Amino acid sequence: MGVASSSSLLSLASHQHHSFPLTTTTFSSQIKTKLDSRSPFSFDPTSKNIPFESHLQLLAHSPTTHLSNCGFHWKVGTMKCGRLREMETEVGAVANTLLDLHGVNQDLVEKIAFDALVWSSLHGLLVGDKTAQRSGKVPGVGMVHAPFSLLPMSFPENQFNMACEVAPIFNELVDRVSLDGKFLQDSLSRTKKVDVFTARLLDIHSKMLEINKKEDIRLGLHRSDYMLDEHTKLLLQIELNTISSSFPGLSSLVTELHRNLLIHYGEQLRLDSKKIPGNTAVKQFAEALAKAWTEYNNPRAVVLVVAQPEERNMYDQHWLSSVLKERHNVTTIRKTLAEIDTEGELLPDGTLLVSGQAVAVVYFRAGYTPVDYPSESEWRARLLMEQSSAVKCPSISYHLAGTKKIQQELAKPNVLERFLDNKEDIAKVRKCFAGLWSLDDSEIVSHAIEKPELYVMKPQREGGGNNIYGEDVRETLLRLRKEGSEENAAYILMQMIFPSVSPTFLMRDGICHKDHAISELGIYGAYLRKKEKVIMNEQCGYLMRTKVSSSNEGGVAAGFAVLDSIYLT
Ligand code: ADP
Ligand code: MG
């Protein structure tokens, strides 16, 4: 299978200049209809039942401008004219900040795509190829380039800076919330009754509270995800990931790839490689892990990467292990939860041994979804690690602090004030919050039944593919209302965010797709603390994910997402 994959790449070599597989799938007309029908402006701002008060206030200021703008979204080329401007680069050259990507000459696109595929293969921008049987188990077998966007996505510099600025505040917030065991238990108490997975996590948390377990060294490797709401121009948080924040490795590489492409093709594209901000996510995450390892203070101990039995995204994880080894001389071992159950033991002093090796830091890249716990064995492993003195990334408290229910609780009035002292920090964090509600709010539930396209319904799950959109929101809410069941505590409702749509080229399986897409920006953050001393609290690079807009999921992409970087405007 590996041969098949590499030969398909090789076959591109002979097609370098003329018959590169460029497909031009566009869904413009479908999406236009969709966009019009889901426009927040169909929402009556004078209505008494205004759920998104603050957002609507902003919307109400310039509805006509935005409405008329909506009509131009799909005319590639006109769409960004208003924002097209020129700027001086350091060398005095003139570069367009934004480019009509779909207007780029096809020969040039093919050349760039070919170079990009070669670059990603040579530099480890890779995932396991799902058509190769062993690609999720054995490194070096059945690899394919990770899906990526051919060129970076433009993004406003001030919004990017703001997202970077709040990262350390979110880091601190997670730490503070994690220390309030009662807040976590109380906030999730109703969810616990109807969601078995969350209940199991809470049970472990309760056990730790009972034995008064203290985590003196606390390590958080987070990623806060945002979408830029086109109409309000607000950068709104989608979610805060506190477990298994993925792609620090590959996102750093995509940034490198895009910078490289612009160094070579920037002049023709009239784009400046320096407008792509540097991305040191992998370096900083490795540094945080190494510092936590140092604080644990056992030179023979290792970092344990808790991995899924099959992991096609293993190279992203191997990048982190590799930087840890090469820059910090720290060894990692990879184990599944089941293996940790079999091979793990706890010494009387709290040391965690796995296959005889002391573990300084447990880094979870599994354990965030019920699928990772097919039997009691995996739960035993999770408990064993939690009871140990190893630094957990994340601890059970950090994990719970990142649940969607807690996100919704933190968005309630006066809750942030319980955890953060600085008023400016509170204001900055609050500004990122979209409308978030529990299903106890009957007014919001009624409104969501009436206008389901303005909401996303989310269960307490991580890892994608669990949310409910559009008509399904209405149906689920009506069913829950009819049954009057407790099940509604399993969900939260969130305001639907509508990012702008841009022309793009998406690379997948060696094929370049021309399409329109929306993007989600993730900002990484690392936090390390020993008792009262904060050792590290930093923003660490970013992840841009770009995906084709789809008409299936209430306007949110059901198509494919690719890794991307950003071009500051
Ligand atoms: P998960 O933990 O499964 O990643 P998310 O909250 O990140 O859950 O939702 C998954 C995806 O759904 C996001 O990446 C985003 O594309 C989309 N999404 C989530 N919330 C919203 C929202 N409020 N508005 C628009 N899209 C959303
Ligand atoms: Mg997510």
Side-chain angles (χ1 to χ4, degrees):
M1 297 294 247
V3 176
S5 146
S6 59
S7 70
S8 68
L9 271 180
L10 279 176
S11 69
L12 288 176
S14 56
H15 297 136
Q16 185 174 354
H17 297 302
H18 302 294
S19 50
F20 188 82
L22 178 79
T23 67
T24 50
T25 43
T26 48
F27 300 106
S28 308
S29 53
Q30 285 172 26
I31 299 171
K32 181 174 177 350
T33 323
K34 193 73 209 165
L35 184 84
D36 291 345
S37 68
R38 71 186 187 174
S39 165
F41 293 104
S42 54
F43 199 12
D44 177 7
T46 58
S47 152
K48 273 196 205 149
N49 301 329
I50 297 172
F52 313 151
E53 281 152 278
S54 55
H55 306 291
L56 276 178
Q57 277 164 15
L58 281 150
L59 289 178
H61 286 151
S62 52
T64 24
T65 328
H66 291 312
L67 266 176
S68 62
N69 280 347
C70 281
F72 294 107
H73 279 301
W74 305 101
K75 293 183 184 171
V76 179
T78 21
M79 153 182 174
K80 287 185 168 170
C81 289
R83 282 185 268 160
L84 197 74
R85 61 191 166 92
E86 299 197 322
M87 83 175 82
E88 291 290 316
T89 66
E90 270 175 43
V91 286
V94 174
N96 286 331
T97 56
L98 289 165
L99 175 80
D100 167 19
L101 273 190
H102 287 180
V104 177
N105 166 301
Q106 182 158 339
D107 276 352
L108 182 57
V109 172
E110 289 177 11
K111 268 194 222 165
I112 300 173
F114 180 84
D115 285 3
L117 288 175
V118 172
W119 193 97
S120 37
S121 313
L122 297 182
H123 293 82
L125 178 48
L126 299 168
V127 292
D129 179 354
K130 61 176 177 295
T131 62
Q133 210 191 354
R134 293 185 300 147
S135 63
K137 293 198 163 162
V138 188
V141 171
M143 294 168 288
V144 63
H145 73 88
F148 60 85
S149 129
L150 187 58
L151 291 165
M153 181 61 77
S154 57
F155 199 83
E157 186 165 8
N158 60 343
Q159 300 280 8
F160 177 65
N161 290 340
M162 212 156 66
C164 294
E165 214 182 294
V166 289
I169 312 175
F170 273 114
N171 289 343
E172 190 66 49
L173 178 64
V174 170
D175 192 66
R176 299 273 178 98
V177 170
S178 81
L179 295 176
D180 193 337
K182 188 169 178 324
F183 172 75
L184 290 172
Q185 287 284 341
D186 289 351
S187 304
L188 289 160
S189 62
R190 286 195 53 228
T191 312
K192 184 177 180 171
K193 289 190 193 147
V194 288
D195 183 332
V196 180
F197 178 64
T198 308
R200 293 298 301 254
L201 296 175
L202 283 166
D203 284 344
I204 295 177
H205 182 250
S206 297
K207 282 194 179 112
M208 296 308 111
L209 289 178
E210 275 161 31
I211 60 170
N212 200 20
K213 179 89 169 55
K214 295 273 178 273
E215 300 297 329
D216 287 341
I217 308 171
R218 302 196 289 276
L219 172 65
L221 295 178
H222 308 141
R223 199 188 68 226
S224 183
D225 292 335
Y226 304 88
M227 278 182 174
L228 183 55
D229 188 64
E230 156 139 69
H231 303 283
T232 59
K233 303 288 178 231
L234 288 170
L235 188 68
L236 298 176
Q237 188 181 53
I238 296 285
E239 64 160 346
L240 178 64
N241 300 282
T242 58
I243 182 164
S244 197
S245 304
S246 57
F247 295 120
L250 298 192
S251 71
S252 305
L253 283 172
V254 175
T255 300
E256 272 315 295
L257 164 68
H258 283 162
R259 283 182 150 192
N260 248 279
L261 292 174
L262 292 201
I263 285 169
H264 291 288
Y265 294 103
E267 224 178 284
Q268 290 170 76
L269 294 167
R270 294 168 63 81
L271 292 172
D272 177 6
S273 66
K274 295 186 199 74
K275 286 278 153 192
I276 302 175
N279 193 351
T280 49
V282 74
K283 195 170 134 247
Q284 285 172 280
F285 266 23
E287 188 187 332
L289 284 162
K291 283 187 168 162
W293 177 87
T294 305
E295 289 302 324
Y296 188 79
N297 200 21
N298 175 353
R300 282 182 308 280
V302 296
V303 170
L304 167 65
V305 179
V306 184
Q308 292 178 333
E310 285 213 35
E311 177 59 271
R312 288 183 49 245
N313 193 24
M314 67 166 86
Y315 301 101
D316 178 52
Q317 301 169 8
H318 287 312
W319 267 111
L320 207 46
S321 299
S322 162
V323 176
L324 255 178
K325 182 144 200 85
E326 286 171 18
R327 286 181 84 105
H328 304 282
N329 201 23
V330 174
T331 302
T332 53
I333 57 170
R334 282 172 75 83
K335 298 283 176 190
T336 64
L337 285 166
E339 285 166 344
I340 293 162
D341 181 44
T342 321
E343 300 167 26
E345 63 177 303
L346 210 54
L347 298 185
D349 71 349
T351 304
L352 173 67
L353 292 185
V354 174
S355 56
Q357 279 174 298
V359 175
V361 182
V362 183
Y363 172 56
F364 285 90
R365 289 300 291 265
Y368 54 85
T369 156
V371 180
D372 291 341
Y373 301 85
S375 72
E376 282 306 304
S377 163
E378 289 77 13
W379 286 112
R380 272 197 304 273
R382 181 77 193 255
L383 180 63
L384 183 85
M385 290 185 282
E386 200 62 38
Q387 288 167 322
S388 78
S389 63
V391 182
K392 272 80 64 182
C393 180
S395 65
I396 193 77
S397 313
Y398 268 44
H399 184 172
L400 291 171
T403 53
K404 294 176 172 71
K405 180 65 192 168
I406 296 298
Q407 180 189 13
Q408 178 251 309
E409 285 290 322
L410 289 171
K412 281 185 180 171
N414 301 319
V415 179
L416 279 180
E417 283 77 357
R418 286 174 60 177
F419 302 104
L420 296 174
D421 309 316
N422 185 308
K423 284 203 165 56
E424 278 173 31
D425 287 354
I426 292 171
K428 282 179 194 160
V429 166
R430 184 159 286 137
K431 203 172 165 209
C432 304
F433 288 161
L436 287 153
W437 305 271
S438 90
L439 270 61
D440 296 337
D441 191 328
S442 57
E443 213 173 312
I444 285 297
V445 169
S446 298
H447 193 264
I449 289 170
E450 202 183 314
K451 302 232 177 253
E453 69 279 9
L454 298 180
Y455 296 86
V456 184
M457 205 170 155
K458 298 188 178 186
Q460 306 307 305
R461 290 289 174 274
E462 302 292 327
N466 302 297
N467 296 342
I468 302 173
Y469 303 93
E471 265 312 300
D472 294 343
V473 169
R474 174 180 286 150
E475 274 170 32
T476 313
L477 290 175
L478 284 171
R479 178 177 63 78
L480 292 174
R481 188 190 259 179
K482 196 168 147 212
E483 290 168 4
S485 79
E486 291 268 326
E487 196 196 325
N488 64 3
Y491 299 95
I492 62 160
L493 272 170
M494 185 173 183
Q495 164 199 354
M496 184 77 170
I497 302 163
F498 298 100
S500 65
V501 181
S502 308
T504 186
F505 290 103
L506 309 169
M507 301 293 300
R508 197 184 188 84
D509 287 329
I511 296 170
C512 183
H513 302 263
K514 182 180 180 181
D515 219 311
H516 289 91
I518 55 170
S519 294
E520 181 172 347
L521 176 70
I523 300 288
Y524 294 104
Y527 186 85
L528 177 66
R529 184 177 182 122
K530 183 166 189 181
K531 293 186 178 166
E532 293 316 306
K533 189 170 156 222
V534 178
I535 296 161
M536 191 171 175
N537 183 9
E538 289 173 14
Q539 176 261 323
C540 312
Y542 63 93
L543 165 75
M544 188 71 153
R545 277 173 300 171
T546 291
K547 49 195 170 186
V548 172
S549 301
S550 154
S551 52
N552 298 332
E553 271 203 16
V556 171
F560 61 80
V562 299
L563 302 172
D564 204 346
S565 73
I566 62 179
Y567 189 89
L568 295 177
T569 61

